[in-house]
Amino acid sequence: MRIDVVTIFPAFFDVLEVSLLGRARASGLLDVRVHDLRDWTHDRHRTVDDTPYGGGAGMVMKPEPWGEALDAVIPADPAAERAEGETQRPTIVFPSPAGELFTQAMARDFSTRDHLVFGCGRYEGIDERVFDDAHTRGEVRLVSLGDYVLNGGEVAVMAMIEAVGRLIPGVVGNPESLIEESHEDGLLEYPSYTKPALWRGREVPPILLSGNHGAIAQWRREQQIVRTRERRPDLLAGDDA
Ligand code: ADE
C-alpha cells in the first residue's frame, strides 16, 4: 500500500521509522511518503494560511498550496501511473473534528485500498474548495478521531496509519492476534492474564487454569459483554454515537 501524507510538520511522522510500521516500511509492505505543504508555496514566508472570509477567529489554510500538493502527489491520470495490480482511485482523507467517526470497520476498509493520501489541516481548517477539488482526483473522506478537538490533523493521521497499517497482511506477525481484539466483533476485549498465577495477593481467575477450553471461551465471552455494558453501552445498543 502506498500512503502519502501532506503536512506542515513532516517531523511528526519520524516515529513511523520505528516499531511494527517501521519494519513494514523497510520490507516494502508499506510505502509511506511524507511531504511538506510549504514546498508548494511561492512566497518568501512560505505562507499556508490567511484570514477567514466573513470574519471570525483564527486562520484558514489557503487553497493554492493544497491544490498544488494534491496535483503533485496524485497522478492526474491514475491509469497512467498505476503500479501493477493497482485498480482503484486514491482515497483522500482529511482528518477533521467535523468528519465522520473513525472506526475499526473504517480502518479495515482503508486497509484494502491501494493508495491513501492524508491531508493534515491546522488552524481553523482548510478552505472548503480544496475538498471539492480533491473529488476530481479520488474519493474524499473527512474523518474524525473522536468528539474532541486536536490542534491539527497530524496526531489523528498517525493514529489512522497505525490502525490501518497493522491490518495489512504481513504487517502483524501473528494474524490470529488481530482476531480477538476489541471492536473486531463489536465488543470490548476480554481481560488477559499471564504468569505468575498469584501476584501481590491477586489471583488469576481460576477458570483460566482449568484447561477447559469451552468453559474458558464462554467466560471470556461473558467478560466481553459485562465490560462492554459497563464501559461502552452505546456499542450494545448498536449505536455508533
Ligand atoms: N483535527 C482536530 N481535531 C480532530 C479530531 N478530533 N479528529 C480528527 N482530526 C482532528
Side-chain angles (χ1 to χ4, degrees):
M1 174 190 284
R2 175 166 159 192
I3 297 180
D4 287 277
V5 181
V6 181
T7 170
I8 56 168
F9 294 118
F12 249 100
F13 296 89
D14 287 352
V15 293
L16 287 172
E17 300 291 333
V18 296
S19 184
L20 268 183
L21 292 184
R23 232 185 305 141
R25 286 179 85 179
S27 72
L29 283 171
L30 262 185
D31 174 8
V32 184
R33 306 177 195 186
V34 181
H35 312 272
D36 187 343
L37 178 68
R38 293 190 199 276
D39 289 347
W40 289 284
T41 59
H42 302 288
D43 63 312
R44 206 157 49 91
H45 302 290
R46 309 183 85 202
T47 308
V48 292
D49 63 324
D50 208 333
T51 52
Y53 275 124
M59 302 289 268
V60 177
M61 295 190 101
K62 295 162 64 61
E64 303 97 316
W66 277 109
E68 288 190 35
L70 296 177
D71 288 349
V73 164
I74 304 169
D77 174 11
E81 291 189 38
R82 238 176 231 159
E84 207 177 320
E86 279 192 346
T87 52
Q88 306 157 334
R89 298 174 84 208
T91 304
I92 308 166
V93 180
F94 292 99
S96 164
E100 53 183 319
L101 195 62
F102 186 63
T103 60
Q104 186 67 16
M106 194 186 288
R108 195 160 280 289
D109 174 17
F110 285 176
S111 75
T112 66
R113 312 282 171 124
D114 296 326
H115 188 188
L116 298 177
V117 179
F118 290 100
C120 302
R122 283 260 144 186
Y123 314 109
E124 298 306 306
I126 301 175
D127 186 305
E128 191 72 18
R129 291 168 294 181
V130 170
F131 309 129
D132 302 333
D133 194 61
H135 276 294
T136 62
R137 303 197 165 270
E139 184 194 354
V140 176
R141 304 285 288 268
L142 269 70
V143 179
S144 172
L145 220 54
D147 292 337
Y148 44 81
V149 180
L150 304 167
N151 276 335
E154 283 77 9
V155 167
V157 167
M158 277 301 313
M160 288 191 256
I161 291 176
E162 178 145 332
V164 170
R166 62 194 294 284
L167 295 175
I168 295 169
V171 171
V172 170
N174 176 7
E176 287 211 355
S177 66
L178 297 177
I179 295 169
E180 294 190 352
E181 290 181 326
S182 288
H183 301 293
E184 276 301 335
D185 57 2
L187 295 173
L188 303 184
E189 213 173 2
Y190 54 75
S192 300
Y193 300 85
T194 186
K195 291 176 262 312
L198 183 66
W199 176 71
R200 295 191 176 178
R202 298 171 191 277
E203 286 182 353
V204 168
I207 184 109
L208 297 177
L209 311 178
S210 70
N212 182 340
H213 298 297
I216 291 170
Q218 195 187 335
W219 179 85
R220 284 178 167 166
R221 192 75 188 168
E222 286 162 10
Q223 292 295 309
Q224 285 191 278
I225 294 166
V226 168
R227 281 190 158 187
T228 308
R229 194 181 295 130
E230 274 174 19
R231 300 177 188 175
R232 292 292 306 277
D234 55 303
L235 295 178
L236 290 176
D239 164 6
D240 281 343

